Amino acid sequence: MTVLETIKLMPNMKNFLIEANGSCYPFNHNDSFLRCVYGDFEVERINSGYEDGTVGLEVKVQFVRASA
């Protein structure tokens, strides 16, 4: 399931974080730039438990190093 598909299933949540390799990034699903950048990433795990209505979406990421 992608980030955008997952968010559609959680209409009551207030804030979303994109989590990857130990880092967190705020994700505003109303921002068209962020939707284009992160929207199609596959969600590996949903990390809930934040008291303020924030959900962390851990995405599947594999960084590739460019050869010189």
Side-chain angles (χ1 to χ4, degrees), residues 3-67:
V3 169
L4 291 178
E5 291 170 341
T6 304
I7 288 173
K8 286 180 184 177
L9 297 175
M10 302 178 173
N12 296 329
M13 299 313 291
K14 296 178 182 177
N15 301 305
F16 296 94
L17 296 174
I18 299 295
E19 299 177 352
N21 293 336
S23 298
C24 295
Y25 307 95
F27 181 76
N28 178 356
H29 61 282
N30 295 318
D31 184 314
S32 59
F33 176 75
L34 292 177
R35 281 196 320 261
C36 288
V37 173
Y38 295 113
D40 291 332
F41 277 47
E42 268 191 66
V43 174
E44 184 171 347
R45 184 177 304 123
I46 299 171
N47 298 322
S48 59
Y50 298 100
E51 294 178 9
D52 64 349
T54 299
V55 172
L57 303 175
E58 190 171 332
V59 295
K60 296 180 183 178
V61 178
Q62 180 178 1
F63 292 106
V64 178
R65 183 181 218 169
S67 59

